[in-house]
Amino acid sequence: MEKSVMSNKQFFIDRYEKLGQELKFIVDKSALRVNTLKISHEELIKRLESLGVSLEKIDFTINGYYFKCSKFSLGAITEFLLGYYYLQESVSQVPVEILDPKENETVLDSCASPGGKTTQIAELMNNKGTLIALEFKQHRLISLKNSLERLGVENCVVYNLDARNVKSLNLEFDKILLDAPCSGNYVTDKNWFEKRTIDGIKKSSEIQKKLLKACCDVLKVDGIMIYSTCSLEPEENELNIDWTLKNLPLKLEQINLPIGDDGLINVFGQKLNQEIKTCKRFWPWKTNTGGFFIAKLRKC
Amino acid sequence: MLKEFIKQFTEKEIVDFNNVKKLRTEYFLVSKELILSNKPFIHAGNYLGKEGKLFTPSLWLLQELAKSTDKIISVDEKQEWLFICGRDILRQGKYVPDKLMEGDLVLVVNKHNEYLGYGIYSTKKVLVKRIFDIGDFLRRERN
């Protein structure tokens, strides 16, 4: 098929329809995550409410709140600059909570910048153990370093390294977060339909497979890897996990979450491994969040 | 430059220099428990600050200095906002300093005793000439 046919809004609407879904537009609610390394929930709520910000607990996260503020930007006040919170989309707070990193572990954040999930990992580790963060693109290192400093992270080491070459670190990990670079989704990118093509999505999928293999190679036996994307495209999600189960020594584990659909096991007529139902898929019109996908894998 | 900067606020040893690593112009406090690879890192452990024309301290270093020094100026909400937008602090009314002299480096804190940055104390119209403030986080990414 010509490239121009395999893109644009109608093309993707038709794809989602084939997956049993009807695309609807939603407005993603602004959200933040309390940084408990520096402040308690109660204290931050008191501080922000005194400034006229209204907060609503996100019930599927530990430290997340939706907020409404019309007078000023929450990304420019003292409380933000002191690292009391991180502006982080609600659904993107979920992967690290599923990863559940502990104080005495060695953890890898394979695609770290700008540092939202990196700082979240450090927080749940209580700044103990070792957190290795990789960022491939030089110009994205500033945001990552800023986030680490601002949020008071003390247990992180950053390398300017493509995660496909993570083996060169000669380290092994108890847990790995692979929040893979992906094609994104229409909720977080208003021009998504104009920019994306199926060829681009397939290219992205090939890179993600390489990342899965590379991360698996440095994961300890019995270690946990969380694979996540903010894409709705099965090529970057369920099809990649199906490939993973066939080619890598990893098995899926159940994700206990009160939100999100099961992973798809029938994609455009192709039947996939039944275990993929344990993955979580976030259709924006059902969850009122951005699009997202999470798989929890354990090394055998 | 890090040692000299700290000495301008306090003689106390607030940093264990046996664990300080310098990478080009940046300083890091790296605990022995942190596992490092043999490859060169970009950032490790606790970031302390950066050498330049003047020293730019990290938030952590400012916090530690605030615990160990009395060279502190407290500002109100309006002054706080102006300071983190990169402005100097102007003298308001009669301010009688305690233990501060012209040209001293001072930390600036808000009503919650939170460190906002530092500058040079003056007895003239400008109370504190700003050198560094936490609004720098936003400016770094803009540049």
Side-chain angles (χ1 to χ4, degrees):
Chain A
M1 288 180 85
E2 287 177 349
K3 189 180 170 185
S4 60
V5 179
M6 301 176 83
S7 64
N8 78 42
K9 189 163 147 193
Q10 192 56 51
F11 171 75
F12 286 102
I13 288 174
D14 291 343
R15 259 167 73 93
Y16 301 146
E17 217 174 277
K18 285 177 189 160
L19 296 173
Q21 299 295 324
E22 185 189 339
L23 183 146
K24 288 177 190 136
F25 286 90
I26 67 133
V27 176
D28 200 10
K29 290 203 253 185
S30 302
L32 59 83
R33 172 176 54 82
V34 180
N35 178 23
T36 56
L37 288 177
K38 287 201 169 188
I39 197 168
S40 67
H41 285 230
E42 294 74 24
E43 187 56 36
L44 182 64
I45 291 169
K46 196 169 145 193
R47 289 281 291 260
L48 292 182
E49 286 185 346
S50 76
L51 297 172
V53 180
S54 67
L55 295 160
E56 176 198 339
K57 183 79 178 63
I58 301 172
D59 57 11
F60 57 87
T61 70
I62 301 171
N63 293 321
Y65 288 82
Y66 293 119
F67 66 85
K68 271 189 197 163
C69 175
S70 54
K71 291 184 196 170
F72 48 81
S73 163
L74 241 65
I77 59 173
T78 300
E79 288 77 4
F80 172 82
L81 296 170
L82 288 173
Y84 292 167
Y85 58 89
Y86 194 95
L87 297 173
Q88 189 173 5
E89 201 194 339
S90 59
V91 72
S92 78
Q93 297 181 35
V94 173
V96 172
E97 293 185 9
I98 305 292
L99 184 70
D100 190 26
K102 300 278 192 264
E103 283 187 8
N104 57 346
E105 289 177 336
T106 306
V107 180
L108 173 68
D109 184 359
S110 46
C111 306
S113 192
K117 297 181 185 73
T118 323
T119 54
Q120 191 181 4
I121 293 172
E123 182 190 355
L124 297 187
M125 293 174 80
N126 203 19
N127 255 341
K128 306 256 170 59
T130 298
L131 168 56
I132 304 290
L134 304 183
E135 177 48 52
F136 173 38
K137 294 181 180 169
Q138 185 79 25
H139 68 275
R140 285 167 65 87
L141 286 168
I142 295 176
S143 313
L144 176 57
K145 289 172 65 169
N146 273 355
S147 297
L148 295 173
E149 183 193 341
R150 195 169 60 77
L151 273 80
V153 172
E154 298 179 9
N155 69 339
C156 185
V157 187
V158 177
Y159 295 98
N160 179 203
L161 184 68
D162 186 332
R164 288 174 287 190
N165 300 323
V166 64
K167 209 165 188 172
S168 65
L169 289 178
N170 288 314
L171 295 173
E172 276 197 327
F173 300 93
D174 299 297
K175 286 181 178 151
I176 295 178
L177 175 67
L178 174 48
D179 184 47
C182 66
S183 60
N185 66 86
Y186 73 94
V187 175
T188 48
D189 181 352
K190 303 299 170 211
N191 299 318
W192 193 86
F193 290 116
E194 285 75 44
K195 283 171 13 183
R196 299 302 173 205
T197 65
I198 201 70
D199 283 345
I201 287 164
K202 285 179 179 171
K203 274 185 191 149
S204 184
S205 161
E206 292 310 307
I207 294 172
Q208 289 152 355
K209 286 187 183 73
K210 290 191 167 89
L211 288 166
L212 278 159
K213 164 96 177 49
C215 287
C216 179
D217 285 347
V218 297
L219 182 62
K220 291 178 184 173
V221 171
D222 216 35
I224 293 282
M225 174 158 56
I226 298 297
Y227 174 79
S228 60
T229 75
C230 59
S231 167
L232 291 171
E233 310 314 308
E235 287 84 355
E236 296 181 278
N237 298 329
E238 288 91 348
L239 290 171
N240 266 352
I241 297 302
D242 194 65
W243 174 89
T244 296
L245 297 175
K246 286 174 181 157
N247 291 284
L248 301 176
L250 292 165
K251 59 181 181 182
L252 282 166
E253 288 201 345
Q254 186 68 46
I255 296 173
N256 295 317
L257 260 187
I259 186 172
D261 278 13
D262 292 346
L264 301 167
I265 53 169
N266 190 327
V267 172
F268 307 130
Q270 184 180 344
K271 288 204 168 88
L272 306 182
N273 189 312
Q274 293 274 323
E275 291 297 309
I276 292 173
K277 274 203 262 192
T278 60
C279 302
K280 282 287 184 185
R281 171 177 266 277
F282 295 73
W283 295 109
W285 45 90
K286 287 180 147 186
T287 56
N288 270 314
T289 65
F292 219 79
F293 175 84
I294 305 174
K296 183 178 178 183
L297 298 150
R298 189 182 288 274
K299 191 161 177 179
C300 323
Chain B
M1 207 175 185
L2 171 64
K3 272 187 187 165
E4 290 74 27
F5 177 77
I6 292 173
K7 277 200 168 118
Q8 292 188 77
F9 292 94
T10 180
E11 287 296 326
K12 290 182 189 166
E13 282 192 13
I14 61 170
V15 168
D16 180 356
F17 278 89
N18 292 320
N19 292 334
V20 171
K21 291 190 192 296
K22 189 178 176 191
L23 182 69
R24 287 186 284 273
T25 57
E26 293 181 318
Y27 293 87
F28 300 92
L29 184 61
V30 185
S31 108
K32 289 182 171 48
E33 283 72 39
L34 211 57
I35 297 167
L36 299 175
S37 163
N38 49 352
K39 281 192 167 314
F41 60 78
I42 301 296
H43 169 111
N46 215 337
Y47 175 62
L48 297 175
K50 185 176 181 173
E51 284 177 359
K53 208 171 155 185
L54 292 164
F55 189 78
T56 305
S58 67
L59 272 189
W60 181 88
L61 186 60
L62 281 177
Q63 177 189 10
E64 292 303 304
L65 284 170
K67 291 178 195 169
S68 309
T69 186
D70 46 15
K71 294 185 179 180
I72 294 177
I73 295 274
S74 183
V75 297
D76 63 27
E77 281 175 24
K78 185 179 173 189
Q79 289 172 314
E80 173 182 348
W81 178 249
L82 290 170
F83 186 69
I84 67 173
C85 288
R87 308 280 289 275
D88 297 331
I89 295 168
L90 299 179
R91 182 174 295 283
Q92 283 176 187
K94 276 190 182 175
Y95 181 83
V96 181
D98 189 24
K99 298 176 189 174
L100 287 176
M101 293 172 58
E102 180 80 28
D104 273 354
L105 287 188
V106 289
L107 296 180
V108 177
V109 300
N110 63 9
K111 67 181 185 187
H112 300 287
N113 270 330
E114 293 159 340
Y115 36 88
L116 304 175
Y118 81 99
I120 301 173
Y121 173 74
S122 168
T123 53
K124 301 181 181 62
K125 188 180 173 188
V126 171
L127 179 67
V128 177
K129 179 148 181 57
R130 184 200 77 85
I131 298 178
F132 168 77
D133 68 85
I134 57 175
D136 191 50
F137 279 117
L138 300 177
R139 287 173 225 126
R140 286 176 209 174
E141 300 208 28
R142 261 209 309 266
N143 295 337

